[in-house]
Amino acid sequence: MLHLIFQSPIETALLERIDSGDVVVFLENAALRVLQNSSISDALTRRLGSNRLCVLADDIAIRGIASDELVKGIEVIDYAGLVELTVNNPIIQTWA
């Protein structure tokens, strides 16, 4: 399953609803939540072993975030990568 997270702040309860093997993409203001110093950075780090976590490159660029400010292991993807994820994951859950 592909999870598209737009909401910010992100509650850890939302992260607990993501199953092992799911892919998560943080979009728009949710990109602010994947910073190393965010309140959910520890929860994100724990998820990296069982989930693919991504953030859209344009969303971090617009917000002035450098990739080295992100939680280690968060993958930066472009729009083509986002399209590929939507094609490869027929079930998509949007969190807004």
Side-chain angles (χ1 to χ4, degrees):
M1 177 183 283
L2 175 63
H3 298 266
L4 303 177
I5 300 179
F6 293 88
Q7 73 183 40
S8 181
I10 299 166
E11 301 297 327
T12 54
L14 183 153
L15 296 176
E16 292 169 4
R17 299 181 76 182
I18 297 169
D19 291 330
S20 179
D22 287 354
V23 180
V24 181
V25 180
F26 297 90
L27 302 155
E28 298 179 358
N29 283 335
L32 298 169
R33 307 301 288 163
V34 298
L35 293 170
Q36 292 175 14
N37 63 353
S38 78
S39 62
I40 63 166
S41 62
D42 289 339
L44 293 174
T45 300
R46 287 190 297 275
R47 290 243 156 242
L48 284 167
S50 59
N51 298 100
R52 182 177 173 194
L53 305 179
C54 309
V55 64
L56 195 62
D58 285 359
D59 286 335
I60 63 170
I62 288 169
R63 287 157 182 82
I65 300 169
S67 59
D68 63 351
E69 295 178 273
L70 303 175
V71 170
K72 301 295 183 222
I74 300 286
E75 183 181 343
V76 179
I77 61 170
D78 58 11
Y79 280 107
L82 179 60
V83 170
E84 181 180 334
L85 288 173
T86 61
V87 169
N88 293 333
N89 292 278
I91 300 173
I92 300 172
Q93 173 68 51
T94 300
W95 304 92

